[in-house]
Amino acid sequence: MPSASLVKEFENLIGKENVFTSEADRQSYAYDAAVLPSVVPGLVLRPTSTEQLGALIERCYANGLPMTIRGAGTNLSGGTVPDADKSVVILTQGLNKIIEINEEDLFAIVEPGVVTAQFAAAVASKGLFYPPDPGSQAVSTIGGNIAENAGGLRGLKYGVTKDYVMGLEFYDHTGELVKSGSRTVKCATGYNLGGLLVGSEGTLGMISRAILKLVPPPQASKAMMAVFDNVQKASEAVARIIAAHILPCTLEFMDNMTINLVEDDVKIGLPRDAQAILLIEVDGHAGQVADEALIVEEQLKKSGATQIVVAKDAEEKNRIWEARRKALPALARFKPTTILEDATVPRSKIPAMMKVIKGLGEKYNLTVGTFGHAGDGNLHPTFMCDKRDKDEFERVERAVDELFNTTIEMGGTLSGEHGIGTAKQKWLEKETSRGTIGYSRRLRKAIDPKGLFNPSKLVGV
């Protein structure tokens, strides 16, 4: 823990109530949603203004304290696990203001601690649309979404978080405020520093404010569920829909294990005997929606769908998407340990990847439930196990290693939306190159000479 005099300095700066020193308080920030060893930080700080954030960084840096910035802690790759017991965790919970929603120029300005779903609802109340919708949106924060370049169900058509960041303000290691981007649609002023911060996992600076692009909402939509008696038919249907030049708003996959666990949990009438289902939504102008829905149904039938259920109203549509959003909670309740992975392949490789996942479960005698954003190739094979069973957990680790090696061989990527953190570092050079790692580390060292911004994460220091 930092010295008593430094703790007192922090208390004077942000208030004693925002400096957490007790063991119990610090234990709460020792882990995130990844299955990794916890590390209790030396101190936890909660600034309530962006100016305080800059001052805290300057003092931590001057005293050689490693820093990890943390929103809601939903990270799935260890990005918000502290580095050492002398680390300082800086919370964004107190930086939670929606500063502006501009209806004329279609942008919003927010602080990093704003909860994603609450922000999307505030935007919707103004008749506008913020598309990024990570599965954790009910609790995750905008700052964390930006730091991890979070995706979501609508990524296929609307893109991910990086596609909506128009500008950022952040603090560097000196506590100086850095500004990049603009409220304008076009901005070519200097380096794209905001783009550099997106997906940087808190290693290059700490975000204090974001300018986010908004768009008009779609005028109409249609949701449907397609039932398959074979996983391969469902995965081939995904490839067929994309090959027909249709980009649904969402195109999601759930296998039989996931279907049954979700149905056990929420009992909304999912077909328990289905080997797979696809949950699909098309949106846009009413005429476009009607035309695209017909093409999608045609491709589903050609791929062997045994049933296609089209939502008749908003209530049925919401029930379809409730099923998908309950996938991870339902799987997580099945066994004590849940290893949720993020393998992403070119969309044409989805049928091959589904065979790989099934084969890994059989080869290593593991329970695997698979769901995910099939339309953009981002699958979430989820290994359900008990970490206390050393033999089983070693089999999981071998299966995951094979999963990512195969993903890279298919031309895919280690992470579509969860980030690298510490959990995926060992495969990073295989996907990129030694030169990429070296370049990234030199960049980090230039920006953060002491290596105190989330030191062990991403490429390390």
Side-chain angles (χ1 to χ4, degrees), residues 35 335 337-341 360-361 363-368 381-404 426-427:
V35 182
K335 282 198 173 184
T337 307
T338 305
I339 311 292
L340 173 68
E341 291 303 346
L360 289 174
K363 178 179 178 178
Y364 293 101
N365 188 27
L366 296 170
T367 304
V368 188
T382 304
F383 298 86
M384 293 163 282
C385 60
D386 187 340
K387 193 176 181 180
R388 296 166 296 186
D389 183 334
K390 291 184 179 180
D391 177 70
E392 181 182 44
F393 199 69
E394 285 175 1
R395 284 184 276 119
V396 170
E397 290 179 319
R398 293 200 298 274
V400 170
D401 190 62
E402 192 170 328
L403 171 71
F404 283 122
K426 70 176 183 177
W427 299 285

Side-chain angles (χ1 to χ4, degrees), residues 173-214:
H173 74 279
T174 68
E176 288 285 339
L177 181 63
V178 181
K179 296 184 179 183
S180 178
S182 167
R183 293 166 171 79
T184 59
V185 174
K186 295 178 179 179
C187 178
T189 306
Y191 294 117
N192 182 13
L193 300 179
L196 192 64
L197 265 285
V198 176
S200 66
E201 303 188 21
T203 63
L204 301 178
M206 296 197 184
I207 297 164
S208 59
R209 187 171 289 191
I211 306 171
L212 301 174
K213 179 174 71 173
L214 307 177

Side-chain angles (χ1 to χ4, degrees), residues 257-299:
M257 171 68 74
T258 310
I259 292 166
N260 277 281
L261 290 177
V262 169
E263 187 62 18
D264 288 344
D265 192 26
V266 292
K267 296 178 176 57
I268 57 177
L270 296 179
R272 287 185 177 273
D273 59 346
Q275 291 305 300
I277 59 174
L278 294 180
L279 306 174
I280 307 159
E281 184 172 343
V282 292
D283 68 359
H285 293 291
Q288 174 192 7
V289 168
D291 291 344
E292 290 189 351
L294 286 174
I295 295 171
V296 168
E297 288 188 53
E298 180 184 351
Q299 297 306 320

Side-chain angles (χ1 to χ4, degrees), residues 139-157:
V139 290
S140 66
T141 59
I142 293 294
N145 293 173
I146 294 171
E148 298 293 335
N149 191 23
L153 276 66
R154 291 192 283 255
L156 170 60
K157 181 173 182 178

Side-chain angles (χ1 to χ4, degrees), residues 275-461:
Q275 291 305 300
I277 59 174
L278 294 180
L279 306 174
I280 307 159
E281 184 172 343
V282 292
D283 68 359
H285 293 291
Q288 174 192 7
V289 168
D291 291 344
E292 290 189 351
L294 286 174
I295 295 171
V296 168
E297 288 188 53
E298 180 184 351
Q299 297 306 320
L300 293 171
K301 290 173 182 175
K302 285 181 178 179
S303 301
T306 59
Q307 184 182 12
I308 301 171
V309 179
V310 179
K312 299 180 180 65
D313 52 32
E315 184 179 348
E316 282 196 18
K317 174 183 166 182
N318 291 337
R319 199 154 55 239
I320 286 175
W321 294 117
E322 181 188 12
R324 169 58 183 84
R325 294 195 184 280
K326 292 291 185 180
L328 178 55
L331 291 170
R333 278 189 277 272
F334 187 65
K335 282 198 173 184
T337 307
T338 305
I339 311 292
L340 173 68
E341 291 303 346
D342 187 27
T344 304
V345 295
R347 291 176 292 212
S348 61
K349 302 289 187 182
I350 290 173
M353 178 49 74
M354 289 306 306
K355 287 182 180 178
V356 168
I357 294 169
K358 183 175 185 293
L360 289 174
E362 294 170 350
K363 178 179 178 178
Y364 293 101
N365 188 27
L366 296 170
T367 304
V368 188
T370 301
F371 66 99
H373 320 302
D376 53 27
N378 184 194
L379 296 173
H380 294 309
T382 304
F383 298 86
M384 293 163 282
C385 60
D386 187 340
K387 193 176 181 180
R388 296 166 296 186
D389 183 334
K390 291 184 179 180
D391 177 70
E392 181 182 44
F393 199 69
E394 285 175 1
R395 284 184 276 119
V396 170
E397 290 179 319
R398 293 200 298 274
V400 170
D401 190 62
E402 192 170 328
L403 171 71
F404 283 122
N405 285 330
T406 304
T407 297
I408 293 168
E409 288 166 7
M410 286 184 176
T413 183
L414 297 171
S415 178
E417 57 189 7
H418 294 170
I420 299 300
T422 55
K424 299 182 181 180
Q425 285 177 333
K426 70 176 183 177
W427 299 285
L428 191 57
E429 186 176 319
K430 184 169 184 177
E431 178 177 337
T432 57
S433 69
R434 182 175 298 180
T436 303
I437 306 299
Y439 185 91
S440 300
R441 285 176 177 164
R442 292 192 297 275
L443 179 66
R444 282 192 71 167
K445 188 170 181 61
I447 290 172
D448 174 10
K450 294 183 183 179
L452 297 178
F453 280 153
N454 220 9
S456 66
K457 311 312 187 302
L458 243 176
V459 295
V461 293

